[in-house]
Amino acid sequence: MGDIRPTVRTRPRDSAPRASSTFTELAQQVRSLGFLRRRYGYYWTKLVAAPVTVAAFVLAFIWIGDTWWQLFTAAALAILFTQIAFLGHDAAHRQIFVSGRWNDWISLILGDLLVGMSYGWWQHKHTRHHANPNKLGADPDIELPVIAVTAETAMKHRGPAISWLRGHQGLLFFPILFLEGISLHASSVRRVLARGRLERRWVEIVFLSVRMIGYLVLVFLVLSPGIAFVFLAVQLGLFGFYMGMAFAPNHKGMPVVPRDMALDFLRRQVLMSRNIRGSRFLDVAMGGLNYQIEHHLFPSMPRPHLRRAAPVIAAYCRDHDVLYTQTSLFASYAIVVRYINRVGLGERDVFSCPLIEQRNALTV
């Protein structure tokens, strides 16, 4: 479905208990088909491969030495770190082990020590997103510091520079993603050093210090300053761009939920999410995030089950008159760019939100 104006069809006569039982029925069906079973072989292979591959890259980096050919190493590291971040995402959602403690430690090792992203920062932010995707005042993923993805955000802080940026944000969206890598590292450092509750703070501080300081020392020991700075720019830029390209299609351009609107769990997760059609290669490239609807409904579903679960959940949504949105990868990027461009140009009702239209129709 490539239409950027999704329609939401609900059943006005459904009561809250009925809506709740609708998801319960789906959950029972998904569980009975085995889609929530752990995939230890799949994940142990990846967990062993991650540090081994990083070690191999370090040895190759030292062996290649001070040469501009290292820019290819930088690009490969950007891909590797993003793939490890996807694996950390799986662990954080309890997809790998039954034990929450085991999943937490795997997330800390993969996120903080290997990638350089704070697990505590990401967990707090991502949990809020999953609870209320695309809801004003509740989802931090629609409160971006530079790009405005809601009409409410676009109306704030309208100075000349911001107005120019917002007016061109559709054009600038993807180039800005090259700065996302630096932003992720900076947000991680701020979180572990800020006040407030953070479990295993000192573990995160140590892991992040070893990763960031050790990485910089290694780069500047092996490479001359000029090549080192370009190497870091390429690695961080492509890392941020890859991460942004994987996460951008999932919710941006889908309906924005008003602050005072309550939706049942099934509709809250399905109507605000978009799946990306593609091959198994795309599944690997996007770390399973292309099955955003299935992931939001069942966050602990192991990644290998998402492809098989998708047609079952799509059929269930169709049978219960809940719109299940999916499109191709490049069509999703076009939707995102058109959407944020319209937001930036100041159209307050960017999509004529079908959720509000539905509610208004029921109150007439």
Side-chain angles (χ1 to χ4, degrees):
M1 300 179 186
D3 187 0
I4 69 167
R5 291 176 57 91
T7 58
V8 177
R9 297 168 294 170
T10 60
R11 296 184 174 185
R13 295 181 182 178
D14 281 353
S15 62
R18 171 58 185 163
S20 177
S21 66
T22 301
F23 175 72
T24 301
E25 292 169 7
L26 174 61
Q28 291 172 345
Q29 184 177 351
V30 165
R31 186 175 296 277
S32 68
L33 292 170
F35 295 146
L36 298 181
R37 285 201 304 265
R38 305 292 170 179
R39 292 292 300 271
Y40 292 113
Y42 172 88
Y43 278 117
W44 271 116
T45 301
K46 286 184 171 291
L47 290 175
V48 172
V52 170
T53 306
V54 169
F57 265 91
V58 170
L59 293 176
F61 176 77
I62 296 172
W63 178 73
I64 294 171
D66 187 23
T67 169
W68 288 104
W69 289 106
Q70 292 281 23
L71 297 187
F72 290 100
T73 309
L77 278 175
I79 296 172
L80 175 62
F81 288 148
T82 304
Q83 286 291 320
I84 293 175
F86 291 155
L87 186 58
H89 172 263
D90 291 359
H93 279 294
R94 308 298 193 254
Q95 294 178 21
I96 300 180
F97 301 109
V98 175
S99 167
R101 183 179 179 86
W102 275 55
N103 284 300
D104 285 342
W105 277 100
I106 290 297
S107 299
L108 288 165
I109 293 170
L110 295 175
D112 293 69
L113 188 58
L114 295 187
V115 179
M117 285 176 53
S118 165
Y119 167 54
W121 164 76
W122 178 89
Q123 183 188 44
H124 176 70
K125 176 177 178 289
H126 201 62
T127 299
R128 292 167 57 206
H129 161 69
H130 265 264
N132 290 285
N134 274 22
K135 185 169 185 176
L136 292 172
D139 183 1
D141 284 5
I142 60 173
E143 299 172 0
L144 304 180
V146 178
I147 298 294
V149 297
T150 67
E152 182 179 277
T153 303
M155 296 303 295
K156 297 178 181 177
H157 313 299
R158 299 290 292 191
I162 295 296
S163 295
W164 182 90
L165 176 63
R166 296 278 163 80
H168 297 81
Q169 66 177 13
L171 180 65
L172 297 174
F173 178 70
F174 289 114
I176 287 175
L177 292 180
F178 285 104
L179 301 176
E180 182 66 12
I182 296 175
S183 176
L184 291 172
H185 292 310
S187 296
S188 297
V189 172
R190 283 197 302 270
R191 179 68 183 95
V192 299
L193 297 180
R195 295 180 179 179
R197 184 175 180 273
L198 179 65
E199 292 187 17
R200 304 184 181 94
R201 180 186 300 274
W202 283 104
V203 172
E204 294 213 49
I205 290 175
V206 171
F207 280 6
L208 285 175
S209 298
V210 170
R211 163 60 170 83
M212 293 183 177
I213 297 174
Y215 182 62
L216 290 175
V217 169
L218 176 65
V219 169
F220 281 95
L221 280 178
V222 173
L223 304 178
S224 56
I227 298 178
F229 279 114
V230 177
F231 176 92
L232 291 173
V234 170
Q235 188 269 300
L236 289 170
L238 291 180
F239 169 66
F241 186 77
Y242 186 3
M243 289 283 283
M245 293 289 279
F247 281 91
N250 302 334
H251 303 281
K252 291 174 179 61
M254 298 302 286
V256 175
V257 184
R259 296 171 184 269
D260 61 345
M261 176 171 280
L263 294 167
D264 66 88
F265 181 78
L266 180 69
R267 288 168 176 79
R268 183 166 73 245
Q269 302 300 339
V270 175
L271 299 179
M272 312 312 149
S273 303
R274 178 193 299 114
N275 274 17
I276 307 300
R277 291 190 301 264
S279 65
R280 292 186 182 275
F281 174 78
L282 184 67
D283 295 355
V284 174
M286 295 191 70
L289 296 175
N290 46 320
Y291 299 105
Q292 196 66 195
I293 294 174
E294 289 69 31
H295 174 59
H296 264 255
L297 287 172
F298 303 97
S300 63
M301 181 184 292
R303 194 194 310 178
H305 293 315
L306 294 171
R307 172 173 280 267
R308 291 196 300 137
V312 174
I313 293 174
Y316 188 89
C317 289
R318 183 171 58 251
D319 291 343
H320 289 78
D321 207 23
V322 178
L323 185 68
Y324 181 102
T325 303
Q326 58 181 332
T327 186
S328 67
L329 181 64
F330 291 106
S332 73
Y333 292 144
I335 291 169
V336 171
V337 170
R338 287 198 297 269
Y339 171 77
I340 63 174
N341 186 58
R342 293 179 65 183
V343 173
L345 291 174
E347 298 186 31
R348 294 187 60 82
D349 190 6
V350 181
F351 270 179
S352 182
C353 178
L355 291 171
I356 298 177
E357 291 179 354
Q358 177 80 28
R359 183 177 64 175
N360 291 342
L362 294 176
T363 58
V364 172

